[in-house]
Amino acid sequence: MIKTKSDIPHLLGYTCTICGTHYPYEKEMLTCPKCGETGILDIDYDYDIIGKNISRESLKNDPDNSMWRYKALMPLEDREYTSFLRVGWTPLYKSLRLGDELGLKGLYLKDDGLNPTASLKDRASGVAVAKALELGYDTISCSSTGNAASSCAGNAARMGLNTVIFVPERAPQGKLAQMLIFGARVVSVIGDYRETFNLSKAAIAKYGWYNRNAGINPVMAEGKKTVSLEIAEQLNFEPTDWVAVSVGDGCTIAGVYLGFRDLYELGMIDRVPRILGVQSTGCSPFVDAARDNAPLKPTPENTLADSISVGVPRNPVKALRAVSASKGAWVAVPDEDILDAMREMGQKEGVFGEPSGVTSYAGVKAAVASGIIRPDETVTCICSGSGLKDVVNALKAAGDPIRCKPDLEELEKTDLFK
Ligand SMILES: *Cc1c(COP(=O)(O)O)cnc(C)c1O
Ligand SMILES: [Zn+2]
């Protein structure tokens, strides 16, 4: 690779994921000029420089309990991030029951619903806000099925940036309430996610805002990769055999791979876990394409897991690579299984995820049942968003409470002890 100078010493430049052209580092580059909008870029790092700034030992002594403990691995100028919202360093729980029920050697749950705006998207939004400030923008914008938008709004509010959000009409109330409370200007688009995305793209181009669209902006997956850096560090740099993640646009799974790849390049782990990409059967363009060994086709968006209801994913190349390069697998699960997963994770582990957050676990169950994951293997399941985001579906999964008059005799007539 040609090394070029940049004002961020550990950044070499960009490589197009489609045509492979290498570009020297420029402050802001979103997609490949030759390939256009589908020419998603990879960010290239100088691991020799990074290796001088971060190691297992340096991390052991780093008191920072946020994703900024990994700033040496981010595409940003070196500065303090202590005033930002505290994103990351979410708990990695060893499963106490579900892993045994599945007959697995080990199961871990990474609860990313415990981020400041309650989803994994905070990892990307934190980095996006940092980048927007670094580049001197005063407004940041994105289109989103909900979580990217609410996290963008929250992280931007903290740092004093304006936010303009485009959401499809169907965005759940919890997420909408978050964006509005964080002071974003919210445009609810009468249409599906594809139409929402296209309107945001046109508006961002016209008004010159910072573009937080995850499919297009290569910086987003670099923020999301911190989930893998944490999983590895929390497991003493011996990650599980598999890591399962729910997939919509494909940026999250791309980031999951990038984090492990970075650690592998730095010699901090000795293998990259196999990555399980999970979608709903109601909207599964990645699973379909992998099964048919064909390019992605636009699909309808028929799932209650709204965060992964993406019929035209914007980050197909990096997402497919995450699974192929890690020798992973793709699986789809029906919405009923997603609701079951929501209830089981809540009841048996005390982790409350939104439908898209627990789809990963439903996928692990399916992969164990079909023999993709073997009993002698270990798995980390990323729970990517909190269940409080979507109370309507939580109640659908959990059922109704027992109704009773305020009287002990009446209580005994109920189903309470049945
Ligand atoms: C966005 C999101 C995903 C999927 O991420 P993509 O980058 O769209 O693939 C999964 N779960 C939750 C909770 C999300 O908000
Ligand atoms: Zn290109």
Side-chain angles (χ1 to χ4, degrees):
M1 194 178 297
I2 326 147
K3 292 202 176 185
T4 47
K5 266 214 192 101
S6 83
D7 48 0
I8 304 180
H10 63 282
L11 276 195
L12 293 175
Y14 304 91
T15 303
C16 174
T17 54
I18 293 186
C19 71
T21 305
H22 178 73
Y23 299 96
Y25 174 74
E26 270 178 45
K27 279 194 179 308
E28 200 182 2
M29 200 168 168
L30 289 182
T31 50
C32 173
K34 288 190 205 163
C35 298
E37 197 193 310
T38 54
I40 309 269
L41 299 171
D42 265 326
I43 294 179
D44 304 321
Y45 292 99
D46 186 328
Y47 291 106
D48 292 338
I49 293 180
I50 293 172
K52 294 198 179 88
N53 297 325
I54 195 167
S55 66
R56 292 186 189 192
E57 288 66 38
S58 74
L59 288 169
K60 215 171 266 168
N61 299 318
D62 189 342
D64 185 343
N65 64 343
S66 78
M67 68 169 182
W68 297 112
R69 60 195 281 103
Y70 307 110
K71 68 181 178 185
L73 275 159
M74 291 191 198
L76 294 167
E77 286 172 4
D78 185 27
R79 59 186 180 100
E80 275 296 317
Y81 294 99
T82 44
S83 51
F84 282 60
L85 288 182
R86 199 239 53 197
V87 175
W89 207 245
T90 56
L92 181 75
Y93 296 118
K94 185 167 186 7
S95 156
L96 297 179
R97 293 170 198 89
L98 292 177
D100 288 345
E101 277 183 23
L102 292 181
L104 282 173
K105 187 172 148 202
L107 176 69
Y108 294 83
L109 305 172
K110 177 72 169 162
D111 190 1
D112 248 45
L114 292 176
N115 275 303
T117 78
S119 84
L120 187 149
K121 295 287 193 296
D122 280 333
R123 298 178 183 276
S125 291
V127 174
V129 165
K131 198 63 173 179
L133 291 172
E134 191 180 294
L135 296 170
Y137 283 86
D138 62 6
T139 301
I140 184 166
S141 180
C142 72
S143 69
S144 159
T145 55
N147 284 334
S150 52
S151 79
C152 183
N155 284 275
R158 171 72 191 168
M159 298 311 292
L161 280 176
N162 303 315
T163 313
V164 181
I165 300 293
F166 297 83
V167 284
E169 275 185 295
R170 62 171 158 80
Q173 297 279 298
K175 300 177 186 182
L176 205 58
Q178 283 185 298
M179 303 164 210
L180 293 164
I181 282 288
F182 290 134
R185 272 170 287 165
V186 180
V187 183
S188 175
V189 179
I190 306 159
D192 64 11
Y193 179 53
R194 180 176 16 178
E195 293 163 311
T196 306
F197 182 89
N198 287 337
L199 179 62
S200 84
K201 192 175 82 177
I204 288 168
K206 177 158 185 197
Y207 302 110
W209 302 318
Y210 185 70
N211 186 342
R212 188 238 173 266
N213 279 330
I216 291 192
N217 188 335
V219 163
M220 299 308 121
E222 300 294 323
K224 289 179 175 181
K225 78 183 179 187
T226 58
V227 73
S228 298
L229 305 177
E230 287 175 20
I231 290 169
E233 191 181 352
Q234 288 166 322
L235 291 171
N236 232 340
F237 299 98
E238 286 177 16
T240 46
D241 299 306
W242 290 85
V243 173
V245 56
S246 317
V247 179
D249 256 327
C251 173
T252 305
I253 193 170
V256 167
Y257 171 70
L258 292 176
F260 291 121
R261 179 212 60 184
D262 281 356
L263 293 176
Y264 183 78
E265 292 290 334
L266 288 164
M268 289 166 75
I269 56 174
D270 57 17
R271 82 195 140 72
V272 171
R274 301 174 77 176
I275 299 174
L276 184 73
V278 189
Q279 299 203 285
S280 164
T281 48
C283 186
S284 56
F286 281 111
V287 182
D288 301 349
R291 183 197 54 220
D292 302 341
N293 203 7
L296 264 73
K297 285 200 287 279
T299 63
E301 299 175 343
N302 283 328
T303 170
L304 54 76
D306 69 286
S307 306
I308 54 167
S309 191
V310 182
V312 182
R314 299 287 161 176
N315 215 331
V317 178
K318 282 192 196 178
L320 292 168
R321 177 182 65 189
V323 170
S324 60
S326 72
K327 301 188 176 63
W330 289 100
V331 290
V333 290
D335 279 4
E336 303 87 78
D337 291 9
I338 295 174
L339 291 180
D340 286 346
M342 224 174 155
R343 200 177 49 244
E344 286 168 22
M345 272 179 60
Q347 277 180 8
K348 299 191 176 161
E349 304 287 357
V351 173
F352 183 16
E354 68 168 272
S356 304
V358 304
T359 299
S360 54
Y361 175 67
V364 169
K365 275 173 77 179
V368 169
S370 65
I372 295 172
I373 298 179
R374 295 189 320 259
D376 63 341
E377 293 184 304
T378 55
V379 181
T380 300
C381 194
I382 298 174
C383 178
S384 40
S386 161
L388 283 175
K389 297 256 188 188
D390 184 356
V391 179
V392 171
N393 279 311
L395 289 172
K396 207 181 273 175
D400 296 316
I402 293 163
R403 273 175 68 82
C404 180
K405 294 201 184 109
D407 179 282
L408 192 57
E409 269 174 38
E410 291 286 332
L411 184 65
E412 282 175 2
K413 287 186 212 153
T414 68
D415 287 348
L416 183 60
F417 298 108
K418 285 196 187 130

